[in-house]
Amino acid sequence: MGKASSALPQDDRKTMLASQPSPLITSRWFPIDNASNLYALARRRRWNRVFRVAAVLDEPIDSDLMQQALTDAAKRFPSLCAKLRDGFFWCYLERTDETPMLKEEDALPFRPMPLTRTNQPNFRVQYYGCRISLEMFHAIADAPGSFQFLASIITRYYELKGAEVADYKAAFNCADSPTALETTDPYFETAVDCKARNPKQLETYYLREPSNKRYARVTHGVMHVSDLKAAAKPYGVTITEYLSAVIIKSYLDRAASPVTKPIRVSIPVNLRRRFDIVSARNFVYMFDIGFDPKGRTDVTFEEICNALKGQLQKKTEKENILAEISANVSAQKNPLSRRVPQPLKRLVLKNNYKKSQLSFTTFLSNYGVLELPDSVAPHVRRAEFVLGDTPYQPLGFACASIGDVLTLSVNANTPDMTMARLVFRFLTAAGVPVYIESNFHE
Amino acid sequence: MRCMQCDVDLPDSYHVCPLCGEAVSDTPNQLPIEEAPYPDVTQSVEADVPAAYPNKHVLRVIAVLCAVFLLIGQSTLWTLFTPILLGLCALFYFVCALFEKGKLLRSGVCLLSTVAVALVLQVFGLLLRLPMLGISLAAAGCIAVFVLLCLLFPARMRAQLQATFHA
Ligand SMILES: [Zn+2]
């Protein structure tokens, strides 16, 4: 990033980067993006922030062909084929030369991933039967970036099988070369100069669930988008708001005593479309929407929906997003914080991470619709998105859809299924038929 | 299959509802969705992540200690002592790792690298005409630390040693 180029207006600079080849094709090391510092520095020996995206195909996967598709797609995403390195001041990423290996799934999801002491990239691609899954370390990419990668692998797989693809949609064409815009830090590209802020912990209803670190219980609820839309329509809310309201209502129904603090649901927002950036790295920002029952026990679902309506839209106005990400970028650019050795930064950021995690009750991540090329889409039965647990949040909700099929996945590292049961029972009672599948069943 | 308690569809292979634990009922599903099973595992296999390896840090500490003693030492005696002592220290490492077969190569690398560090320090000392007593003291200290660690935590030391040279 030379001085002359950063002096360009942002839009011109984006156009320029989009037309240039990615410098990662030749460079071995590259900086970690602004949001990932948190994931890299807050990691623990037996835990790192990992999430999982998966797709269920209409036939069992041919592993040799899928390995070839993975190899081809990996070349298209140089920023993903990297591993974390601890530097003196910051963590950074190092390109790995090894081809990512496709493995047959033989363990529970979200088992800890070797990050620094490995030659494999910091993600894991596995297959089992018809399901192809990608578990990604959050410092490498976010869910939309990972879905792009997964879509590209699947599209390449069908291309190798002879399918013709005209419009790649969410997938990337493996024959193209990566652009500089895709692999640059999108937060730095969009941020404007402003003052850094200290994160503060919000007052939130927080339920400490018993958790087991060796345990990932994933429950998928498959439903039709049209049914869900029909259920949300009377309340005039979006699907994300509706599902948040269902989760908040379930927390209220579950609570043994009246809830006096606001129940907050943290929702990551994909910023790619807002800022017109095609990125294969992280470019999301977490916002939260919430409802304060103020100790009442007679809260109706409609009341929650009315409270949530428009909250996310207001928070995610472009100026607000820009202010948030600019503050974070300024904190990273701060000359003082830059000179602090990484182990000290870790202490501060671990605490910041804890604060941010305790500022909301649970996560709900809605990827939206996975758009695949027309010749590939009929072969993919459903898309799945599962959030890994964190040391403070053993429960997470995430959903993704393909066509009219939406999969709401609940991941918990606790055997207690109360929350999942309440959420899915609420949906079926609201007239949304749900099909349940779990990795733990008899 | 359906769970009548939760009013949800379930795959045909399920006997019990994963949400509520009740037995399922043999009623046709509402949604035409095919099962996509997960592998049948209930216990996570031990992670691919190697255990922590403070030994790497211990080696760094040795190097720093050696440098410090090198600078403050007083005597020019025992020139040969340093490599021999450091070599012995590495040998202890080596013997430690012998408990686990198949790790011989890594242990060999460990041995050689430690001796190499000792030799480099020796040459450094000779070139700068600095006294050797400091190094010898440092080496003796290191051995004491290692012996103590190995005696106190034989299993953990072995595991950490393997992790240190984990490919
Ligand atoms: Zn049930």
Side-chain angles (χ1 to χ4, degrees), chain A residues 29 83-87 90-94 115-116 342:
Chain A
W29 293 284
K83 61 175 178 179
L84 191 71
R85 296 298 300 263
D86 286 317
W90 295 103
C91 291
Y92 60 98
L93 296 169
E94 181 185 347
L115 295 177
T116 50
Q342 189 243 107

Side-chain angles (χ1 to χ4, degrees), chain A residues 45-46 52 56 105-109 111-114 117 124 128 131 214-215 217-220 222-224 227 381-382 384 386 405 417 420-421 424-425 428 433-442, chain B residues 2-3 5-16 18-22 29-53 163-164 166-167:
Chain A
R45 202 196 319 157
R46 295 235 160 254
R52 174 184 168 107
V56 178
E105 194 166 357
D106 62 354
L108 289 177
R111 63 184 194 279
M113 198 183 282
R117 274 166 278 150
R124 191 186 273 143
Y128 186 78
R131 181 182 277 112
R214 290 268 172 280
Y215 199 87
R217 193 168 184 140
V218 177
T219 310
H220 300 294
V222 188
M223 58 201 91
H224 287 307
D227 292 336
R381 295 208 308 250
R382 53 186 207 245
E384 294 165 354
V386 194
V405 181
M417 295 301 285
R421 184 168 64 240
F424 288 121
R425 279 187 181 179
T428 52
V434 179
Y435 167 93
I436 296 289
E437 215 171 80
S438 171
N439 65 339
F440 272 79
H441 69 85
E442 289 166 45
Chain B
R2 281 182 64 76
C3 170
Q5 305 288 324
C6 306
D7 193 24
V8 292
D9 289 354
L10 294 168
D12 288 343
S13 60
Y14 285 28
H15 303 293
V16 169
L19 295 178
C20 65
E22 295 285 316
N29 281 359
Q30 291 182 336
L31 295 169
I33 290 168
E34 282 175 54
E35 184 183 3
Y38 275 89
D40 192 14
V41 276
T42 44
Q43 277 302 306
S44 181
V45 291
E46 197 42 44
D48 313 341
V49 183
Y53 58 122
T164 310
H166 191 86

Side-chain angles (χ1 to χ4, degrees), chain A residues 58-72:
Chain A
D58 62 352
E59 54 177 14
I61 286 160
D62 175 345
S63 59
D64 293 338
L65 210 58
M66 195 53 96
Q67 174 66 63
Q68 184 58 48
L70 171 60
T71 309
D72 294 350

